[in-house]
Amino acid sequence: LTERLDALESEKLEFSNYIYKKSSSNISNISADGGSFTIDANGLNISSGGVTLDKQINLSKRYLELRLKLKTDTVFYIGTKNVENVVGEQQAEINCGTKTIKINALGGTAGASKIFAFDIVNDREYILRYFKIDNVQRFEIIDTVTTNSDFVEENAQLGQFDKYKFGKISGTGTIIISKISIKSILTERPY
């Protein structure tokens, strides 16, 4: 018994705030949401429309992070799909041609928007983050080469019971998403 207790005390328990973390061909739990896609060694390839990440998330402090290649004419969205009520429906968009990031308020009406100050380079990887922090939603873009970044945020009545959806609104070529993560940002205790 003493040896077992000593062994337990010496083990380090590591906690992770990741709820979902997949990359390349390991990306899973994806279903079509009016779009067409494939998953291969490069990751999730969206040729048209959108997809849903089939993981219901019941947490008020979290974010979705996508690492993806964009083109100068891409218009892409990230949002939430309601599971229990309409409150969960939200959407943010990036328009690479007009260099605009925006958040659509509940019901699709125009919300906060902003023009970001750096250029999109064809086929360069960018990080898009979509935060839900209590009643604040925030949308960020980060250039993985220059580390330039910008964000837009808005207060809204946000639900906690939803699934993520994202996809291509317009643009040439296929969107390649190499990594998808959902992370809890609760500070009280690790997820």
Side-chain angles (χ1 to χ4, degrees), residues 62 78-82 87-91 130 132 162-165:
R62 58 183 150 104
I78 294 177
T80 52
K81 184 176 186 170
N82 70 317
V87 177
E89 294 279 342
Q90 299 291 330
Q91 187 167 305
Y130 182 61
K132 289 183 81 172
D162 51 43
K163 295 180 179 182
Y164 284 107
K165 61 182 183 177

Side-chain angles (χ1 to χ4, degrees), residues 112-131:
S113 67
K114 186 178 195 180
I115 295 175
F116 55 93
F118 55 93
D119 293 326
I120 297 296
V121 177
N122 274 333
D123 294 320
R124 178 179 289 175
E125 279 201 321
Y126 294 85
I127 295 172
L128 298 181
R129 289 184 180 151
Y130 182 61
F131 290 80

